[in-house]
Amino acid sequence: MRRFWCLLGLFFVYAGMLHAQSTFPAGTPCVKKYNIKVQTTSEYPKLYIQGFYGSDYYLVDSAVVKNGTAVFKKSKCELPCGVYLLAIFDESHTFTHIIGEFIINQNAKLLIRHTQHTDSASGYVVNDLDIAGPPDNDILYAFRNRLMTVYTPNVREVCEEYLKTTPESFAAKYIMAAYGTYQMPGDTPEGDLLKKRQMMDDFDFSEPRLLHTPVMTPYLIQQWVLREDDTDTIIASMDDILKRCSNPTVRNYFLLKFFSMMDMHDPVYDPVLVHLYDNYGHEWIEEGREGAIKRKIEGLRKVIAGAKIPELISHDIDSMPHSTNDIKAKYTVVWFWDPDCDHCQEMTPVLHQMYQEHAEDYDFEVFAVEVNDDYDRWRKFSDEHNLWDWINLSTSMGEQNLDFIEYFDILTTPVIILVDNSNYHTIIARQISLSELQKFFENEAGQMKVR
């Protein structure tokens, strides 16, 4: 019994906050009304129902307990079919504990009888639910009772048995997705990868009702796609999941979730955003955001790794124009900065020192452009730090050939872009740290020695 409640807690322990959720995408199976009566022997003043949508959770309803009975009832609603929690919260709506779970599927009229007893082995207070309603609850609680009353060395075998005997039931699909990998080891990279694969195999991506269960915790979503920061690996993981999504509602959920996860103003993930937009249609984009997303993607295409950077022209202290196309070094480090920016004040001298010490070794040039049009601050900072030995330019000294701020979507400074001049001025990376830049050059220099 203790093992079962630890198992159950793995999926519900994160439910410490409530989020409002009022609308769900088209194609989500919903009930139009519900009537849930809870009879309890415990002296709770109020009970709550908590629902799930993917990796989010939200408050569905609350009811005052009168004479041992709480009634949750709405005659007009859009309540998704799925798994819900009967829970208790304190006066500040902070999560206290879960009484139990139940399934709403087509018929949303339930009678839940709640009692408590103390487990003699562990001393824990155990909540018992007897549910009269949709047959999925009978399957779910038969599974639970079997795990509690019968020693079962292999939980997965029990999950598979229920899926085999009731293959069309939503409860069996939920049991398989939630508990199938419980006993699998996951303390090593190999074990984690195997468990990830098995969980993906156990999740029925054709079943939109599974989106409304506590299976997909935020941790699980992260593990499915963000095992490492390599964009190729992330894209491959996303493609693996999306090709399983035979149901459009499930597919659109994951597309929107993945895009939102990657849309974090970290240029490392920009190729992922472009990949999702280009390869999976646009039905998943929320209404009203189509134009903004399209403009964003069009902007990213110009600056992601692999794109060709256009010729950039700006002017030096003598108002003489300088072009990136005239640079003879193998690499160009484009440095957009602002002498009023704290980060620029700190990082510009560090980059300059790297330039002085290694520009010849690593065969790179710096194309530094002050973008704030502040001649006095630019001149003063450049004099103080002797920045005149690299290509030191300012937008205050003449008109550029294009609007750098608009073209590169510069919201904050500094902005760093590493360009490979030997490959048709191709962008290698954007917004990497100076330590990452140093590491890149060290690796390139090492490979040159080997060759």
Side-chain angles (χ1 to χ4, degrees), residues 66-85:
K66 295 181 179 179
N67 300 321
T69 300
V71 178
F72 302 88
K73 186 176 181 180
K74 283 189 179 178
S75 58
K76 293 182 179 180
C77 70
E78 286 288 333
L79 191 63
C81 298
V83 174
Y84 292 82
L85 300 183

Side-chain angles (χ1 to χ4, degrees), residues 223-382:
Q223 286 298 299
W224 275 1
V225 298
L226 290 181
R227 291 184 57 81
E228 46 188 299
D229 285 336
D230 175 71
T231 55
D232 291 338
T233 303
I234 292 173
I235 288 173
S237 296
M238 290 182 176
D239 287 344
D240 187 16
I241 291 174
L242 291 168
K243 73 181 180 182
R244 300 167 184 256
C245 297
S246 57
N247 180 275
T249 300
V250 179
R251 175 178 172 274
N252 289 341
Y253 167 79
F254 278 104
L255 279 166
L256 181 58
K257 189 70 176 180
F258 291 159
F259 194 91
S260 299
M261 287 170 59
M262 297 295 102
D263 189 15
M264 54 184 69
H265 303 294
D266 187 336
V268 170
Y269 302 116
D270 288 348
V272 183
L273 298 178
V274 174
H275 175 82
L276 293 174
Y277 185 85
D278 286 349
N279 291 277
Y280 292 101
H282 305 144
E283 295 83 5
W284 53 272
I285 299 177
E286 297 167 307
E287 185 177 355
R289 293 196 64 204
E290 299 92 338
I293 295 295
K294 181 180 180 180
R295 289 190 295 273
K296 180 181 184 69
I297 295 300
E298 289 174 348
L300 292 181
R301 291 189 202 284
K302 300 182 293 187
V303 295
I304 61 173
K308 303 297 188 293
I309 196 169
E311 179 183 21
L312 307 180
I313 299 176
S314 191
H315 299 79
D316 63 18
I317 191 68
D318 298 318
S319 296
M320 295 296 295
H322 291 256
S323 167
T324 51
N325 286 2
D326 295 334
I327 294 175
K328 303 303 181 183
K330 182 178 181 181
Y331 301 104
T332 296
V333 176
V334 180
W335 182 253
F336 294 120
W337 67 291
D338 176 357
D340 292 331
C341 156
D342 291 340
H343 290 298
C344 298
Q345 293 172 11
E346 177 184 351
M347 296 169 64
T348 301
V350 176
L351 176 60
H352 185 247
Q353 183 177 355
M354 185 190 306
Y355 174 79
Q356 288 183 315
E357 295 176 356
H358 299 294
E360 185 174 343
D361 298 334
Y362 299 151
D363 196 12
F364 76 95
E365 181 59 77
V366 173
F367 191 83
V369 183
E370 182 275 320
V371 294
N372 197 33
D373 245 5
D374 190 335
Y375 172 84
D376 292 334
R377 292 292 298 270
W378 168 63
R379 176 70 182 263
K380 180 181 179 182
F381 192 91
S382 297

